[in-house]
Amino acid sequence: MNERRADIFVSLLVTTVLLIGSALSWQAYQQQRSIEQMGSMMGMDSSVGAMHGTNPIWYVVGTLLVSAVIGGGYLLIRNDLTNTAVPDDTRAKTEIQTVSETDNPPEEAAQSNGAINPESQPQARVLDLLPDDERRILEPVLSSPGITQIELRDRSNFSKSKVSQTVSALEKRGLLYRERQGRTYRIYPSDDLQENQAQ
């Protein structure tokens, strides 16, 4: 569930409880007042009004208690409820990709030949034209489309801000795009870049 939607839903629920509780408290107060006025007109004791109907204080206390339970309970389970963790099967696929990449990394293929072979490394065509920091960001995106910005930070050994700035610059130039997922982004190479790499 989206965190913002859950927050809005719970806040609307608490607001509804507060409005209903306020209305019931006001109704009980008006009822108690009218009973007390009738009792005073008939010359009865003021304690007679207390015997008829619920004291409005109980409605106020009940409303506040229910609101506190709903709001406090939500805050306790908010992270678990809105957690957008990667499912286990997706995590396993990512681990398999990482293992296969470490078996034969692109740098080793380039070093063994002494030069970059475009057939074995099609992304090298574009990557050769980029500065080193942008290349270190774009290589993992090309090899693992959908990589999260957090994983990208770990693989590039850049700071969080450096990754964010570089990804934004590459996105402005149309080399990649990102989609929000929870508190991070999934980053994909652009369609144009993939088509150029396939040629």
Side-chain angles (χ1 to χ4, degrees):
M1 179 180 250
N2 188 337
E3 186 174 319
R4 183 175 289 182
R5 287 182 187 163
D7 289 346
I8 290 171
F9 175 75
V10 171
S11 62
L12 287 175
L13 183 62
V14 169
T15 303
T16 303
V17 168
L18 288 173
L19 288 174
I20 291 172
S22 299
L24 290 174
S25 300
W26 179 252
Q27 186 179 13
Y29 171 74
Q30 291 294 330
Q31 184 180 13
Q32 185 180 26
R33 235 177 118 200
S34 65
I35 289 173
E36 286 175 1
Q37 285 177 352
M38 255 190 342
S40 66
M41 288 169 42
M42 297 176 140
M44 299 179 141
D45 189 352
S46 63
S47 64
V48 173
M51 287 196 255
H52 299 288
T54 306
N55 191 339
I57 297 294
W58 289 112
Y59 284 111
V60 172
V61 169
T63 301
L64 294 176
L65 184 65
V66 169
S67 299
V69 167
I70 292 171
Y74 172 69
L75 289 177
L76 288 174
I77 63 167
R78 181 175 183 227
N79 288 339
D80 295 335
L81 186 65
T82 59
N83 190 4
T84 56
V86 179
D88 289 337
D89 59 334
T90 307
R91 189 176 298 132
K93 289 177 185 175
T94 305
E95 289 174 4
I96 290 170
Q97 287 177 345
T98 305
V99 169
S100 66
E101 289 167 6
T102 56
D103 289 344
N104 190 8
E107 295 85 31
E108 287 181 12
Q111 290 174 357
S112 64
N113 294 339
I116 296 174
N117 182 357
E119 283 71 32
S120 66
Q121 278 186 290
Q123 70 266 23
R125 296 174 194 160
V126 172
L127 296 180
D128 286 340
L129 304 174
L130 297 175
D132 183 55
D133 56 345
E134 292 180 350
R135 190 177 320 128
R136 284 173 57 186
I137 294 294
L138 202 53
E139 283 175 344
V141 173
L142 286 168
S143 62
S144 302
I147 188 171
T148 65
Q149 200 158 322
I150 295 169
E151 293 169 342
L152 192 56
R153 184 183 68 211
D154 294 339
R155 288 175 64 177
S156 66
N157 292 326
F158 284 143
S159 67
K160 184 177 180 180
S161 62
K162 175 70 172 174
V163 169
S164 180
Q165 290 171 354
T166 308
V167 166
S168 294
L170 290 169
E171 187 176 30
K172 286 178 185 174
R173 293 204 324 253
L175 294 173
L176 53 81
Y177 67 96
R178 51 187 169 173
E179 294 177 354
R180 191 154 214 26
Q181 181 181 6
R183 295 182 179 173
T184 188
Y185 289 96
R186 286 210 172 270
I187 304 170
Y188 300 91
S190 68
D191 294 336
D192 293 338
L193 181 62
Q194 285 181 329
E195 287 174 12
N196 287 340
Q197 298 307 315
Q199 292 174 355

